[in-house]
């Protein structure tokens, strides 16, 4: 195996696990970066180095201020770190597991110019302006972004295989949020919306502000990435997103939002009942069809439909096409989590450098 | 795009569709081969050439005898055809959609020696002797075999991504035969085994001799390919395969076998009932776990299990691993058919030559 080395941008929980996984499969990690700085250690960060830096991060220390705790490590700008990676022999690459909206301009496009393959869990660079998506994905031999949709699940690769083989994808629908899947399952089981959301927040199943899940924005980003992969030249503002709270609740302080959750119960309960009255089930899904408006929101699905079989936090994506016209291809499983997200990023990098 | 050209070995129905799909995505097809000969046309076979040759094949004419119907085409041995492909600029490759058990020695290993990527729907080269599997898959940048299991469904790529990323796959189970899926669904719906098999044969859902499906051998080959991909160094004789007919029926003339099908009804009905008495469902599945005997045969599955959701001819494969330990990754959809099989082969070739 040609020697591999990965620069990891984003050193939160996924970044930490990705570094561990990379080292475990024999891949060096000579660069890690957060928003404060990149740390470069030419010989590769050791497990001990990574533990030291993880502990520092966990205690609130930025990488820029933690570099002195690692022997032979220096601080660099993102550009310097990318340039350094490009000097490495073998098959260096860059992983972006940050949530940096400026990643394309700060380091990803630089990496591509130097023919460094990039592997993304960061959805932002692919779901902001269309020009960035097109620049980043122009050479598919240099980018993997499986982990932006469904974490490690084979969603993008399934779609890309269909497109490459000349199949015409006609309909993609997906449950792309573990949190919303959990909430809809619990609603289906008869729970009250307000209680389910409070419980989910208490268990850590939601973002600190549950509106970040309930707004559907994260699902819309994933839908946009799917649509753009299908060749649709569209932007976020062309996606209709249904939030699971009224517009007037968007700017409430978090405490007040949580207190006023019960005001939404009747409305959502009515939607669950309406679906049930037709023998159907309510799901929160993204629906993408070529040339059609993209919808992200509540849908009522018939028993036997792919989305109907879902329970709990699993994600599911169903693909219909010219070739898959009698029965769709369906991919299902955990669509979030540190290990599966990191594994999705690592698998892309290894595939790009095979 | 670098110019692509594909040699297609096996010119039955899948081969014909593969040629059409390849030409449709701008890939030249300068070589096609059946068991009689390879036909080489340096400028690439045109749609008209392919139609002419398809018609000849459909009327029972071997390629060796049909070559004169195509201008500028010559007959070659497999070795000569492979050597010719290796002289082509761009990114030539070879697809094997035959059922040739000697494909490894006749052309696949030659192709690999010349660094031609190979893409297989032919299960035989990977499910005969272990040494052939190992030689063929030694350099994963030169082989794709997605279409050997579940046709175009993302089964092998999902498994390979897990393995590459350092995940430890612990349990793979699959419904890998559309025909057996159809039969088990119909049994579950209360049908009689003998009537279901006769009807399936009449509809063309089975092989001409239904025992080729009912024996489980084809499923066992797929299970073996999955197991070997997982690093299990095993052979077919280490797989326990349950045939859906008694040993004594194996050598009956086909007519007599069909006549005597009702003798099996009671036994299979009892198994369906036994599963039902536990609130479970009967499926025909392959179960692969590292270091464990591989079983292919009837299994009783609980409601809510991935295999329980299946109906009709869809295939399904479920992967559990160290990372996917709370809920498996599940891939489901049509696992047979001309278009989806050909598309699986073509996607592999395009990915290998990206």
């Amino acid at each position: 195996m040609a020697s591999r080395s990965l620069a990891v941008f984003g050193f939160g929980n996924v970044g930490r696990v990705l570094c561990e996984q990379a080292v475990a499969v024999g891949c060096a990690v000579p660069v890690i970066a957060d928003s404060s700085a990149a740390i470069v250690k030419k010989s590769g960060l050791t497990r001990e180095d990574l533990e030291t830096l993880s502990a520092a991060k966990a205690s609130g220390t930025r990488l820029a201020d933690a570099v002195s705790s690692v022997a032979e490590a220096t601080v660099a700008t993102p550009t310097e770190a990318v340039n350094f990676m490009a000097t490495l022999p073998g098959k260096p690459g860059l992983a972006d597991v940050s949530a940096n909206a400026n990643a394309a301009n700060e380091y990803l496009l630089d990496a591509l110019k130097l023919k460094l393959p990039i592997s993304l869990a960061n959805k932002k660079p692919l779901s902001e302006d269309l020009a960035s998506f097109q620049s980043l994905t122009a050479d598919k031999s240099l980018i993997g972004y499986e982990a932006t949709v469904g974490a490690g699940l084979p969603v993008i690769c399934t779609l890309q295989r269909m497109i490459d083989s000349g199949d015409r994808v006609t309909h993609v629908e997906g449950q792309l949020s573990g949190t919303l899947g959990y909430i809809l399952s619990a609603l289906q089981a008869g729970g009250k919306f307000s209680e389910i959301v409070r419980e989910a927040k208490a268990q850590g199943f939601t973002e600190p502000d549950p509106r970040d899940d309930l707004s559907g924005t994260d699902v819309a980003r994933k839908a946009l990435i799917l649509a753009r992969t299908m060749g649709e030249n569209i932007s976020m503002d062309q996606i209709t997103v249904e939030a699971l709270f009224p517009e007037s609740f968007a700017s409430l302080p978090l405490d007040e939002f949580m207190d006023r959750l019960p005001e939404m119960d009747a409305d959502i309960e009515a939607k669950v009942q309406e679906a049930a009255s037709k023998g159907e089930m309510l799901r929160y899904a993204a629906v993408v069809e070529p040339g059609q408006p993209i919808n992200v929101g509540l849908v009522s699905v018939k028993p036997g439909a792919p989305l109907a079989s879902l329970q709990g936090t699993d994600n599911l994506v169903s693909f219909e096409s010219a070739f898959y016209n009698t029965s769709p291809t369906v991919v299902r499983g955990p669509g979030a989590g540190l290990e599966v997200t990191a594994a999705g990023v690592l698998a892309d990098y290894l595939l790009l450098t095979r």
Side-chain angles (χ1 to χ4, degrees), chain A:
Chain A
M1 170 165 110
S3 74
R4 290 195 166 80
S5 48
L6 192 62
V8 175
F9 281 69
F11 196 63
N13 288 329
V14 173
R16 181 176 47 74
V17 172
L18 173 58
C19 291
E20 286 166 12
Q21 289 181 359
V23 170
V25 298
C27 169
V29 181
V31 170
I32 60 172
D34 68 6
S35 57
S36 72
I39 286 188
V40 178
K41 178 169 174 172
K42 294 192 178 182
S43 58
L45 292 154
T46 64
R47 283 175 207 269
E48 293 69 31
D49 294 336
L50 292 165
E51 275 169 29
T52 302
L53 293 168
S54 294
K57 284 288 284 185
S59 70
T61 307
R62 307 176 313 160
L63 286 181
D65 301 322
V67 64
S68 58
S69 60
V70 173
E72 301 165 46
T74 55
V75 158
T77 66
T79 305
E80 289 165 347
V82 168
N83 289 339
F84 163 72
M85 288 302 292
T87 67
L88 294 178
K91 301 183 164 180
L94 188 153
D96 183 5
V97 293
S98 74
N100 183 352
N102 296 317
N105 292 324
E106 284 181 17
Y107 43 86
L108 295 176
L109 291 170
D110 285 347
L112 292 179
K113 271 188 213 121
L114 297 167
K115 302 290 176 199
L116 285 179
I118 60 175
S119 174
L120 276 59
N122 182 3
K123 288 182 280 291
K124 301 238 172 98
L126 298 175
S127 57
E128 299 281 337
D129 62 294
L130 180 62
S132 286
F133 177 89
Q134 291 175 329
S135 305
L136 289 167
T137 61
D139 182 347
K140 291 203 162 57
S141 69
L142 285 176
I143 183 168
Y145 53 96
E146 187 58 85
T148 61
V149 182
L153 294 178
V155 174
I156 300 293
C157 67
T158 298
L159 181 59
Q160 195 65 56
R161 286 181 65 94
M162 283 186 172
I163 295 165
D164 286 351
S165 63
D167 198 357
R168 187 170 45 82
V169 179
T170 52
H171 180 94
V172 177
E173 65 179 44
Q175 204 287 80
L176 297 170
S177 160
T179 309
L180 293 174
Y182 170 88
I183 291 171
L184 270 291
S185 283
L187 279 170
Q188 205 67 47
K192 264 199 164 52
F193 180 71
S194 57
E195 288 167 13
I196 295 165
V197 174
R198 284 173 186 163
E199 174 70 15
K201 176 169 157 59
Q203 300 272 345
F205 293 168
T206 69
E207 296 293 323
D209 185 337
R211 283 172 293 193
D212 290 343
D213 297 300
L214 298 173
S215 69
T217 307
D218 187 64
V219 175
R221 283 191 188 277
K222 294 173 184 173
L224 182 61
I225 291 172
L226 290 172
R228 286 177 169 177
T229 300
M230 290 162 64
E232 301 289 296
N233 292 329
I234 59 166
S235 293
M236 277 290 272
D237 55 14
Q238 290 163 276
I239 300 184
T240 307
V241 189
E242 179 181 5
L244 292 188
F245 54 83
E247 181 105 25
S248 59
F249 280 41
S251 52
L252 295 180
L254 177 57
D255 285 353
E256 190 182 343
F257 174 77
M258 294 304 295
D259 284 345
R260 293 179 59 185
L261 275 171
E263 295 176 34
M264 289 170 248
D265 286 347
D267 183 44
I268 291 186
E269 170 69 12
K271 286 175 177 158
V272 173
Q273 288 304 329
E274 191 193 336
S277 71
K278 296 183 284 183
E280 299 186 349
M281 277 161 280
L282 205 61
R283 297 283 184 257
Y284 193 93
V287 178
V288 182
E289 295 187 346
Q292 299 297 316
I294 295 174
N295 287 298
V296 171
L298 293 171
V299 292
S300 180
V301 299
K302 293 186 169 46
L307 284 171
S309 69
L310 260 187
Q311 287 214 329
T313 59
D314 271 3
N315 282 18
L316 181 149
V317 187
S318 154
F319 304 89
E320 292 170 27
S321 70
F323 298 162
Y324 290 91
N325 54 3
T326 53
S327 186
T329 293
V330 179
V331 172
R332 188 181 118 188
L338 304 183
E339 286 181 319
V340 297
T341 304
V345 173
L346 184 58
D348 269 349
Y349 163 65
L350 294 170
L351 208 58
L352 292 169
T353 56
R354 180 171 275 172

